[in-house]
DNA sequence: CCTACCGATCGGTAGG
DNA sequence: CCTACCGATCGGTAGG
């Protein structure tokens, strides 16, 4: 929203923390590790953030909001269930590939949130999953999809999406759009010739 | 292999550690937490295990070996690619549901292994993934499967399998056999009516 | 399996 | 953003 790209020092701290959390995990990353990676003293971090966990909260809820708002857009579109499922998958992968490090933290480290943040986070996540589940259920009701177990279907989809930060290379040949479409194809039409 | 079910104290320590590692993560679980859960003093743990990491090594490599040996059996069978893929999936889910806690640790905590163990573990994992990849590739070569991206296909499968410890309830209505077959169906024939 | 203890490191604060 | 420092906790050892 600004003409000058201005990343606040707080954002820089959070970004660097995300990198370390991703590689070593939240608990195994110390504030001294983080300070060191930024070239400052550990105590200086606290002029930018209130606590170690505040960083994790920023990362987890920031990503949750990105995923949620995009999926809401998709839901509002008036298309077939296949198209809606496809659009939801593509949207998710787009956000993920734009924020690979944060996505990995979002997926793997949220359990280190304390209460009531953990509870809130899990509610957001179950809500997100249920939105996809509803899309699949609608497809079944309309006869567009076969009568699969929606829980298994949505968990298969969700785990595929969650695992992507582990192997997807945004510098590689395949763009988020194609990857999303290929995943959608595989889920919708299967492997069978 | 014994008539009397005899769980060594070491195994009890490892099992209890697996529970704590699963819930709180390896780094966030202290040896005092573990000792407390067993009703002994932290120092007493070291009569059974050499170090905290030795516990993790036992868990990770123990599970890796279970998965590997079962998949090798499946590979030796002379059946179609669909059937082989299906059998591999069912075998994986069987092992997982028999060792849910250990599977979760195997999946989420292996990164806390130090070198050279981490490297060795990752080699075992890539080998396991490649075995599934080969089954899919053979199916494509024989015209049994359509020409999908094998990397995407195998990653989708692998992430589904890995994520199961998060939601699969072995006390629930669906047994490992059925779950495996349903997942195989979904991947092979898709959702499309 | 215990008591007693080690040096290292943790997240964070006070005060500038 | 720094120096100086806090109490708590870490994985692990010595010696029984």
């Amino acid at each position: 929203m600004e003409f000058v790209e201005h990343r606040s020092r707080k954002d820089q701290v959070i970004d660097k923390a995300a990198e370390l959390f991703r590689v070593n995990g939240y608990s195994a990353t110390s504030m001294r590790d983080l300070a060191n990676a930024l070239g400052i003293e550990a105590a200086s971090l606290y002029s930018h953030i209130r606590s170690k966990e505040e960083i994790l909260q920023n990362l987890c809820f920031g990503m949750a909001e990105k995923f949620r708002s995009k999926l809401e857009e998709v839901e509002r579109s008036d298309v077939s269930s296949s198209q809606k499922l496809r659009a939801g998958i593509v949207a998710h992968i787009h956000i993920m590939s734009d924020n690979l490090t944060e996505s990995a933290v979002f997926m793997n480290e949220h359990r280190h949130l304390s209460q009531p943040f953990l509870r809130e986070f899990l509610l957001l996540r179950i809500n997100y999953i249920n939105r996809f589940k509803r899309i699949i259920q609608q497809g079944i009701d309309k006869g567009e999809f076969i009568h699969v177990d929606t829980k298994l279907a949505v968990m298969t989809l969700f785990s595929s999406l969650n695992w992507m930060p582990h192997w997807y290379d945004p510098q590689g040949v395949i763009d988020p759009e194609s990857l999303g479409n290929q995943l959608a194809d595989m889920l919708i039409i299967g492997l069978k010739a």
Side-chain angles (χ1 to χ4, degrees), chain A residues 28-166:
Chain A
T29 301
S30 73
M31 294 304 269
R32 282 158 184 83
D33 293 337
L34 176 55
N36 209 277
L38 290 163
I40 61 175
E41 293 301 317
S44 308
L45 290 168
Y46 294 88
S47 352
H48 307 294
I49 47 98
R50 264 182 288 270
S51 67
K52 186 183 180 185
E53 200 191 305
E54 195 200 60
I55 300 175
L56 186 62
Q57 288 163 13
N58 268 272
L59 288 165
C60 290
F61 289 99
M63 287 309 297
E65 174 51 23
K66 286 183 197 214
F67 286 125
R68 189 203 59 76
S69 66
K70 269 288 175 191
L71 186 54
E72 212 164 60
E73 271 182 45
V74 168
E75 279 176 319
R76 277 198 293 269
S77 65
D78 189 25
V79 295
S80 72
S81 297
S82 303
Q83 287 170 303
K84 211 174 265 187
L85 181 58
R86 184 177 298 273
I89 292 171
V90 170
H92 186 107
I93 295 179
H94 258 294
I95 296 168
M96 201 200 65
S97 78
D98 287 344
N99 309 269
L100 260 195
T101 309
E102 296 87 340
S103 296
V105 173
F106 166 87
M107 173 200 164
N108 288 312
E109 308 301 330
H110 66 259
R111 63 173 155 169
H112 297 290
L113 290 168
S114 64
Q115 298 294 6
F117 304 99
L118 179 57
R119 192 171 293 121
E120 193 191 337
F121 180 88
L122 293 177
L123 284 173
L124 291 176
R125 189 176 73 168
I126 197 71
N127 186 280
Y128 188 72
I129 292 173
N130 280 340
R131 283 162 188 261
F132 271 107
K133 206 170 178 177
R134 212 172 300 131
I135 294 173
I136 295 171
Q137 188 60 55
Q138 283 168 354
I140 294 173
D141 294 344
K142 288 191 289 182
E144 205 177 323
F145 294 152
I146 57 175
H147 206 86
V148 288
D149 181 326
T150 52
K151 186 174 179 183
L152 175 63
V154 82
M155 281 301 165
T156 300
L157 168 61
F158 188 66
S159 47
S160 300
L161 294 175
N162 273 344
W163 191 253
M164 271 181 198
H166 286 292

Side-chain angles (χ1 to χ4, degrees), chain A residues 177-193:
Chain A
E177 197 88 12
S178 309
L179 180 60
N181 279 312
Q182 280 186 44
L183 177 58
D185 280 342
M186 212 170 64
L187 292 176
I188 295 169
I189 68 177
L191 295 174
K192 199 176 174 185

